[in-house]
Amino acid sequence: MEYEIFSHKVVLEGETFDTLGIIVNDQKGNTYTFEDVTTFQEELEKFVKFLNEENVSLKCFKIFLELFIESL
């Protein structure tokens, strides 16, 4: 698994916000996109670094993602 950060814009109630998401690439060449994870780049960089260092599976990623979002 390889985790990467990407930036994109989200429109909420007519306002546009810059936000960050995570792209996950698995060994089979599949790509999964998780948009609008956070606006806190430094925290997300640490989280993605952890995911890559620990080679977290997609199944476990969803659990870690919930915990990460709750911790913000």
Side-chain angles (χ1 to χ4, degrees):
M1 303 299 280
E2 182 181 344
Y3 297 88
E4 300 174 31
I5 297 171
F6 73 100
S7 63
H8 61 287
K9 296 187 183 303
V10 173
V11 178
L12 182 64
E13 296 180 9
E15 285 192 59
T16 302
F17 299 92
D18 292 322
T19 187
L20 302 166
I22 299 174
I23 295 174
V24 184
N25 298 299
D26 69 12
Q27 298 87 344
K28 296 179 183 178
N30 298 315
T31 300
Y32 305 92
T33 303
F34 298 86
E35 295 181 350
D36 196 21
V37 173
T38 186
T39 57
F40 300 108
Q41 185 167 352
E42 188 174 323
E43 287 85 352
L44 189 59
E45 287 173 352
K46 291 176 190 174
F47 180 58
V48 168
K49 181 179 179 185
F50 161 79
L51 295 170
N52 285 318
E53 287 176 349
E54 298 299 320
N55 198 26
V56 173
S57 71
L58 188 58
K59 183 177 180 179
C60 292
F61 165 71
K62 293 176 182 179
I63 296 166
F64 281 115
L65 181 60
E66 272 187 42
L67 294 171
F68 172 74
I69 292 171
E70 288 175 7
S71 73
L72 296 175

